[in-house]
Amino acid sequence: MNRLVRLLSFASVLFTLAHPVIAQEAADPFHPHIRTANERLRAMMSAGVQVSPTLHGIVKRIETSDVIVYLDMHILTTPGVAAQSQFVQAAGGRRFVRVVIDSRFSGAPLVGLLGHELQHVAEIAGEPTVVDPLSLAAFYRRIGFKSPAGGTNRFESAAAIATGRRVMQDAIDHPSEVNAAVVRVKQAAASAR
Ligand SMILES: [Zn+2]
């Protein structure tokens, strides 16, 4: 458990321009502002919103903002980094953020990482001056601190650390709902084969 908390605390905000290909990803009708093509993330988001009032509140904040976030999973190779958020672009009255979570996580820790990163997205949503990676860095110099993991351009906030832990605890306290989501995804993957 100590290891999990440490990994969660190192989930970070990374300030680089991401790839323009992001605009081609499918919208998720289930949360218009929180989009993913990843079935596992979709299932864990559903379970997380069900069991965690904190995550539910964050989702509502993002849904009523001008921010669109794309969630994805792959293996993150930077030591100590379990997840990261990047500002992509501001365009057409929308601001686009990308969240990537290390695909080696599952269950309650994965739900906690979603809570952590979506708290960063809600922080960005509440700060209209954030319009590019530089203004994002300036914002996190004000409200956050340099992350101990992964180099100079990574920042962290105390609120995201606390939120990630709270959401993970909500998931730990509701194992049947979270496990049901894990089983649903495995069954869907098996029937697709
Ligand atoms: Zn963070």
Side-chain angles (χ1 to χ4, degrees):
M1 184 48 68
N2 280 339
R3 181 175 149 71
L4 289 177
V5 169
R6 193 157 61 244
L7 284 169
L8 281 175
S9 73
F10 284 170
S12 61
V13 190
L14 175 67
F15 306 110
T16 55
L17 280 166
H19 312 291
V21 69
I22 196 166
Q24 297 164 12
E25 287 179 23
D28 179 5
F30 143 86
H31 292 306
H33 286 236
I34 301 175
R35 303 177 184 183
T36 182
N38 184 299
E39 291 299 331
R40 203 165 134 214
L41 286 177
R42 201 182 302 236
M44 297 318 282
M45 273 300 296
S46 297
V49 168
Q50 194 187 336
V51 302
S52 173
T54 301
L55 186 60
H56 187 250
I58 292 168
V59 166
K60 275 172 75 177
R61 282 167 66 193
I62 296 169
E63 285 301 320
T64 53
S65 79
D66 66 329
V67 168
I68 307 281
V69 55
Y70 294 89
L71 306 177
D72 202 0
M73 283 195 114
H74 55 73
I75 289 185
L76 293 174
T77 53
T78 307
V81 175
Q84 61 193 26
S85 299
Q86 295 170 272
F87 195 90
V88 179
Q89 64 176 348
R94 301 283 196 205
R95 293 179 293 156
F96 296 89
V97 177
R98 180 183 184 86
V99 168
V100 178
I101 296 189
D102 192 315
S103 51
R104 291 169 291 192
F105 284 86
S106 63
L110 172 54
V111 177
L113 285 169
L114 284 165
H116 180 115
E117 294 305 321
L118 290 178
Q119 168 64 28
H120 283 310
V121 177
E123 287 165 354
I124 293 164
E127 181 55 44
T129 63
V130 174
V131 292
D132 55 25
L134 277 182
S135 50
L136 183 62
F139 174 51
Y140 272 93
R141 277 191 207 99
R142 287 205 307 278
I143 70 149
F145 53 92
K146 288 260 187 188
S147 168
T152 54
N153 282 332
R154 287 176 187 272
F155 293 81
E156 191 49 274
S157 75
I161 293 170
T163 301
R165 287 176 180 164
R166 198 177 313 127
V167 172
M168 181 170 75
Q169 190 60 53
D170 289 338
I172 289 168
D173 292 342
H174 297 82
S176 56
E177 287 91 335
V178 174
N179 289 339
V182 173
V183 169
R184 267 201 312 278
V185 175
K186 281 185 181 156
Q187 285 170 343
S191 67
R193 259 181 232 126

Short mmCIF file of all heavy atoms in Angstrom, two decimals, residues 11-12 116-117 120 156 160, ligand 1:
data_model
loop_
_atom_site.label_atom_id
_atom_site.label_comp_id
_atom_site.label_asym_id
_atom_site.label_seq_id
_atom_site.Cartn_x
_atom_site.Cartn_y
_atom_site.Cartn_z
N ALA A 11 2.08 10.88 -9.66
CA ALA A 11 1.34 11.20 -10.88
C ALA A 11 1.45 12.70 -11.09
O ALA A 11 1.41 13.46 -10.13
CB ALA A 11 -0.12 10.79 -10.73
N SER A 12 1.65 13.13 -12.31
CA SER A 12 2.07 14.51 -12.47
C SER A 12 1.46 15.19 -13.69
O SER A 12 0.84 14.56 -14.52
CB SER A 12 3.59 14.56 -12.58
OG SER A 12 4.00 13.83 -13.71
N HIS A 116 -7.00 11.45 -9.40
CA HIS A 116 -5.85 12.36 -9.30
C HIS A 116 -5.75 13.22 -10.56
O HIS A 116 -5.69 14.46 -10.50
CB HIS A 116 -4.57 11.54 -9.09
CG HIS A 116 -3.33 12.37 -8.98
ND1 HIS A 116 -2.58 12.42 -7.83
CD2 HIS A 116 -2.71 13.18 -9.88
CE1 HIS A 116 -1.55 13.24 -8.03
NE2 HIS A 116 -1.61 13.70 -9.26
N GLU A 117 -5.72 12.58 -11.71
CA GLU A 117 -5.52 13.34 -12.95
C GLU A 117 -6.72 14.21 -13.29
O GLU A 117 -6.56 15.34 -13.76
CB GLU A 117 -5.19 12.40 -14.12
CG GLU A 117 -3.86 11.66 -13.98
CD GLU A 117 -2.66 12.58 -13.76
OE1 GLU A 117 -2.60 13.67 -14.37
OE2 GLU A 117 -1.80 12.21 -12.94
N HIS A 120 -6.53 17.42 -11.59
CA HIS A 120 -5.71 18.39 -12.35
C HIS A 120 -6.54 19.03 -13.46
O HIS A 120 -6.45 20.24 -13.70
CB HIS A 120 -4.50 17.70 -12.97
CG HIS A 120 -3.38 17.41 -12.01
ND1 HIS A 120 -2.86 18.36 -11.16
CD2 HIS A 120 -2.67 16.27 -11.78
CE1 HIS A 120 -1.88 17.82 -10.45
NE2 HIS A 120 -1.76 16.55 -10.79
N GLU A 156 3.11 19.20 -9.61
CA GLU A 156 2.18 18.44 -8.79
C GLU A 156 1.37 19.42 -7.96
O GLU A 156 1.78 20.57 -7.77
CB GLU A 156 3.00 17.49 -7.89
CG GLU A 156 2.21 16.45 -7.18
CD GLU A 156 1.26 15.74 -8.13
OE1 GLU A 156 0.15 16.24 -8.33
OE2 GLU A 156 1.66 14.70 -8.67
N ALA A 160 -4.45 17.43 -5.85
CA ALA A 160 -4.54 16.22 -6.68
C ALA A 160 -4.08 14.98 -5.90
O ALA A 160 -4.68 13.91 -6.02
CB ALA A 160 -3.71 16.39 -7.95
ZN ZN B 1 -0.51 15.12 -10.12
#
